[in-house]
Amino acid sequence: MKYWKKYSKEKLIKRIDKALESTIDFQNSKYLGYPVSRLDENVFNTSGTFLNNSPLLKSFIANPNNIGCHTLGKSEEAFKGSQELEKEVIRVLAVDIFKAKENEYDGYIATGGTEANIQALWIYRNLYKKEFDATLDEMVILSSEDTHYSVHKGSNLLSIDTVSIPVDFNLREIIAPELDNIVKKLISEGKKYFMVISNMATTMFGSVDNPDIYAEILSKYKVKFKIHIDGAFGGFIYPISNRNSTLNFENPNISSITIDAHKMLQAPYGTGVFLCRKGLIENVLTKEAQYVDGMDLTIVGSRSGANAIAVWMILFSYGYYGWFEKINTLLLRTDWFAKQLDALNIEYFRDPFMNIVTIKSEYVPEKLAHKYGLVPDTHSGKNSWYKVIMMDHVEIDDLLKFVEELTNISIS
Ligand SMILES: *Cc1c(COP(=O)(O)O)cnc(C)c1O
């Protein structure tokens, strides 16, 4: 890990204080033309000694705006400090976790996985339009049936058809012959330009798609394609737990990646990350964004610099090894839980590198599922699965109570 280090608390606070100093001081500044401000001190408690050890609260009060994308071109001068910290976050993710070459990536902290997924689709739509004069009818989005619904939102917004690829019921793996048939049929219907959303851990199962299956079949039919990895849930787990993962920028088939910081990383809501190879994000340049200094390349306009600082703080409080240990603790709990289910002959799905266990619903009475807050695969109609996620707050002692109740059921 070249950039992902662990900093002391003092160092974290010092860097954040410095970053906030270089954010314009709205109190004493001459920035007459900026429609911006720190938080309203008539409403919020914005001073006091409680702030000394709370760099994040200080950041929210200073209220920097990280509008724009800071890995290329110019950026708004007024908020350099928090932009610099965002750039460090993007660099750790792109280079250290997802193996991009130095300066060969772009990215920004989006509002969440939904925005980051739609940003990718938007980029590829415009790329196909620009390079091939493609029409919307000639484009199509492919993803597995377990894919997050944000892809359907993107399909609707961008007016591009989306097709779900069936997965094996037990393995949750894309069925390659089905994919082949679907692609063949789509081509016969006039589709020429493909956008793939490949999952690095689905929301319900933690299942991980193999993007090379898409690449192989689409290459065979000689159609244009781009592959985006949706790591909204798995992005801070899978690349750490599976050292042989090829879901990164060393894989030439992969062009862009979504990661959420407000799931596993426990950052405040409003912190998803979009990463892509250099030369792609320019496809969504909004030339009319004249009043903002720098290029406008993001779906969202103004966005919270404090949120970027929060992600920076989390990454550099743990460092790579600290995070590695945390993930391994969660995986140990998951192993333990899976073993208990094995002993009870309860069927479930689990990817060995993920902290999700999804149990077939016939083994869990509805009342028990409700009592322990398990999440069903559907809230309308009969569900087939219930998932358990080993997060920070889900300890073995909590799991044990659930397992004991399951045991009592299997005995009686
Ligand atoms: C949560 C999730 C999303 C959407 O993320 P938001 O941050 O809620 O917008 C997208 N994909 C996957 C796999 C997710 O788990």
Side-chain angles (χ1 to χ4, degrees), residues 112-115 117 148 150 199 201-203 230 232-233 260 262-263:
T114 298
E115 182 189 335
N117 284 345
H148 188 266
S150 51
N199 293 295
T202 54
T203 317
D230 181 359
F233 184 75
D260 260 351
H262 57 214
K263 286 185 178 159

Side-chain angles (χ1 to χ4, degrees), residues 9 21 38 77 93 109 184 205 233 260 267 281 298 309 327 367 401:
K9 188 138 195 233
E21 272 165 33
R38 71 206 299 260
E77 268 295 305
L93 291 169
I109 298 189
K184 200 162 38 183
F205 296 92
F233 184 75
D260 260 351
I281 202 166
T298 54
I309 292 175
I327 293 301
K367 255 174 75 183
K401 290 181 205 131

